[in-house]
Amino acid sequence: QVQLVESGGGLVQPGGSLRLSCAASGSIFSIDAMGWFRQAPAKQRELVAMSTRPGTTNYADSVKGRFTISRDHAKNTVSLQMNSLQLEDTAVYYCYAYLRPVGSPGTNHYWGQGTQVTVSS
């Protein structure tokens, strides 16, 4: 059974920093992509940052220059360093992976349970 387990999140003042981490566990054959989405109240879930091939990343325009995604391909982990946090960054952040489990003929989408990030003064 594949699982994505997140850590980090919490309450931070505007301008502060937080770091989210996620580890994929279970019988995994390969991971095509790992990244982060977020969902604010009454809004749709949106992409924050994604890592695909080594050295290839993409970011939502709203977080470029403030957030950095890093991935350890050998350990099946992904992290999101969030700096200069703004009130609008408040949301539940979800770890995401597009991966192929051992014994599976294809790849599937997997989600973490979500972690709350609240930016407030």
Side-chain angles (χ1 to χ4, degrees):
Q1 185 79 356
V2 174
Q3 283 188 314
L4 302 183
V5 180
E6 301 148 343
S7 60
L11 174 65
V12 65
Q13 292 184 339
S17 298
L18 281 175
R19 184 177 182 86
L20 305 181
S21 297
C22 174
S25 63
S27 298
I28 299 170
F29 180 79
S30 63
I31 300 179
D32 287 359
M34 287 189 82
W36 297 89
F37 285 74
R38 68 186 180 187
Q39 187 167 18
K43 291 190 176 182
Q44 289 188 333
R45 191 172 297 189
E46 62 175 1
L47 171 69
V48 177
M50 189 66 61
S51 169
T52 53
R53 296 184 299 275
T56 301
T57 58
N58 61 289
Y59 296 88
D61 287 343
S62 60
V63 306
K64 284 180 181 177
R66 300 188 298 121
F67 291 10
T68 302
I69 188 171
S70 58
R71 181 175 162 195
D72 188 323
H73 293 261
K75 295 182 179 179
N76 293 338
T77 61
V78 66
S79 297
L80 185 69
Q81 178 65 40
M82 305 184 291
N83 298 328
S84 302
L85 282 160
Q86 303 169 355
L87 298 176
E88 311 84 78
D89 296 317
T90 296
V92 177
Y93 284 70
Y94 295 90
C95 180
Y96 165 86
Y98 187 59
L99 62 84
R100 179 181 173 185
V102 172
S104 172
T107 48
N108 284 301
H109 305 278
Y110 291 84
W111 297 91
Q113 77 281 5
T115 185
Q116 178 70 46
V117 171
T118 302
V119 184
S120 175
S121 56

